[in-house]
Amino acid sequence: MEALNLRNDKQHFQDGLFIWDIPTFNESAVREAILNAISHRDYRMGGSVFIRQFPRRLEIVSPGGFPTGITPENILWEQAPRNRRIAETLARCGLVERSGQGMNRIYEVCIRESKPKPDSLIRMRTMFG
């Protein structure tokens, strides 16, 4: 997060007389997206999880695409953990509270901060900004 925050600009949002500074990349949403990429990637495939930061978007690319049965249309209400043991380990380490809520939290943050919804493509690319 330190490396991300070096280039994490503030966006100004005005609500009446009040002006709020909102970071371009919400730390909790980024954290959820990275944990999703790690726990749901296809470890049978080579390659790595890549995080690319641009001025107004963040791409997190995870090998393997969506797990079987998950599509961009049903990602908010369907669950299909690809690596249950990894998800359980992340929960035991205190990195995730409960499985199946990562994308919900990311969408909630985007809505709360008036940002575009994440673009979840076949390569599990998630954009914020």
Side-chain angles (χ1 to χ4, degrees):
M1 290 311 300
E2 287 179 30
L4 176 87
N5 283 329
L6 289 175
R7 297 186 334 179
N8 194 2
D9 294 333
K10 302 280 186 204
Q11 306 302 315
H12 305 291
F13 171 75
Q14 185 168 354
D15 183 18
L17 296 175
F18 299 98
I19 297 177
W20 307 98
D21 289 335
I22 300 172
T24 301
F25 308 113
N26 180 286
E27 198 167 315
S28 65
V30 170
R31 182 175 169 268
E32 288 291 338
I34 292 170
L35 291 171
N36 276 352
I38 292 168
S39 65
H40 295 297
R41 70 161 285 179
D42 188 345
Y43 283 95
R44 297 172 297 179
M45 299 180 72
S48 301
V49 172
F50 286 99
I51 302 169
R52 295 181 187 99
Q53 184 176 358
F54 300 90
R56 295 283 183 157
R57 79 175 193 266
L58 186 70
E59 291 182 3
I60 300 171
V61 181
S62 178
F66 289 121
T68 304
I70 302 298
T71 66
E73 292 78 28
N74 70 7
I75 196 167
L76 290 178
W77 59 85
E78 290 292 329
Q79 297 177 19
R82 184 177 277 153
N83 304 298
R84 189 173 300 276
R85 295 284 184 229
I86 292 173
E88 289 172 0
T89 302
L90 293 173
R92 287 184 180 175
C93 291
L95 295 170
V96 295
E97 289 179 28
R98 208 173 90 214
S99 64
Q101 295 198 346
M103 283 308 293
N104 287 358
R105 289 184 179 187
I106 293 168
Y107 271 76
E108 286 174 12
V109 165
C110 290
I111 291 168
R112 193 174 333 115
E113 295 182 354
S114 298
K115 295 179 180 175
K117 70 178 184 173
D119 178 16
S120 304
L121 301 174
I122 278 290
R123 294 174 39 205
M124 294 270 304
R125 183 175 74 193
T126 306
M127 296 182 206
F128 305 97

